[in-house]
């Protein structure tokens, strides 16, 4: 069950970059492009309240677990596991935001031209861009509330299908009573 919670958490944050990936060394990007990229990060990601985002993920995981056919004690254990895993993560992510900002800034500066970065920044400064930035966390949460139960249901079914019969728990039997009964 802990593995399912971990998968659910990873799915919820699939929009974050794969920080552990190593890429071929790139030349230092243009400082003007990096500065524009930092502005874009600040307009899109830097204003997000990571703590509330983590609470939304926790809520989505809890709803997904609650929607699964499992004994009550397993559901409670799964929700407690998710809560424990996510409880400190918001502060950790908040602490990592300056580093994440630089990672994004470098990545944007390497992938986009100066003109593209200016257009992206202009969009996010526009009313439509500001609305997208403001509404996207709610949209993502709503999408996860729909998708996560389906994903978890399929993962549980797959896990059950892949378990060999010998791994099933033995049925509980009452202990033999003394006196030959």
């Amino acid at each position: 069950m802990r593995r399912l919670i971990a998968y659910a958490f990873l799915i919820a944050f699939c929009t974050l970059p794969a920080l552990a990936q190593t890429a071929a060394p790139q030349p230092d990007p243009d400082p003007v492009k990096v500065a524009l990229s930092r502005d874009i990060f600040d307009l899109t990601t830097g204003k997000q309240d990571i703590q509330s985002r983590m609470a939304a993920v926790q809520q989505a995981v809890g709803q997904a677990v609650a929607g699964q056919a499992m004994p009550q004690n397993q559901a409670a254990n799964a929700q407690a596991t998710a809560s424990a895993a996510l409880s400190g993560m918001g502060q950790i992510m908040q602490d990592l935001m300056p580093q994440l900002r630089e990672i994004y800034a470098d990545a944007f500066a390497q992938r986009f031209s100066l003109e593209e970065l200016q257009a992206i920044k202009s969009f996010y400064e526009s009313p439509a861009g500001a609305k997208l930035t403001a509404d996207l966390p709610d949209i993502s949460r709503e999408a996860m509330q729909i998708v996560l139960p389906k994903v978890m249901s399929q993962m549980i079914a797959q896990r059950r299908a892949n378990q060999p019969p010998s791994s099933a728990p033995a049925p509980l039997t009452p202990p033999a009573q003394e006196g030959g009964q």
Side-chain angles (χ1 to χ4, degrees):
M1 186 54 57
R2 289 179 186 197
R3 184 178 295 166
L4 292 175
I5 299 300
Y7 287 140
F9 177 74
L10 290 175
I11 291 167
F13 280 91
C14 66
T15 59
L16 291 178
L19 297 176
Q21 287 183 350
T22 57
Q26 300 287 329
D28 286 338
D30 176 357
V32 173
K33 289 171 56 178
V34 172
L36 263 173
S37 297
R38 286 185 189 120
D39 291 345
I40 292 167
F41 180 87
D42 293 343
L43 288 166
T44 59
T45 308
K47 293 180 181 177
Q48 292 179 6
D49 177 12
I50 300 299
Q51 298 288 355
S52 65
R53 244 186 137 174
M54 295 304 295
V57 170
Q58 189 171 350
Q59 179 184 7
V61 169
Q63 289 175 346
V65 168
Q68 300 307 309
M70 66 177 73
Q72 183 63 31
N73 64 335
Q74 280 185 340
N77 186 27
Q79 287 179 338
T81 301
S83 179
L86 296 172
S87 66
M89 198 164 290
Q91 186 60 49
I92 293 169
M93 289 299 296
Q94 194 68 46
D95 292 345
L96 289 173
M97 288 302 277
Q99 292 174 20
L100 196 56
R101 181 179 189 245
E102 293 307 311
I103 291 168
Y104 269 92
D106 287 345
F108 286 2
Q110 291 173 3
R111 287 172 177 79
F112 297 102
S113 70
L114 181 60
E115 294 78 20
E116 290 168 330
L117 289 169
Q118 289 168 335
I120 292 167
K121 183 179 178 195
S122 293
F123 169 73
Y124 282 112
E125 289 175 328
S126 74
K131 182 169 177 46
L132 174 64
T133 301
D135 290 352
L136 199 53
D138 290 336
I139 293 167
S140 296
R141 187 187 75 252
E142 291 168 13
M144 291 312 299
Q145 288 174 340
I146 294 167
V147 172
L148 201 54
K150 294 175 183 181
V151 169
M152 289 188 70
S153 184
Q154 290 177 9
M155 290 171 56
I156 289 170
Q158 184 179 20
R159 184 170 181 219
R160 287 180 181 156
N162 291 334
Q163 280 185 333
S166 62
S167 69
L172 296 175
T173 55
Q177 295 181 354
E178 292 186 35
Q181 288 187 5

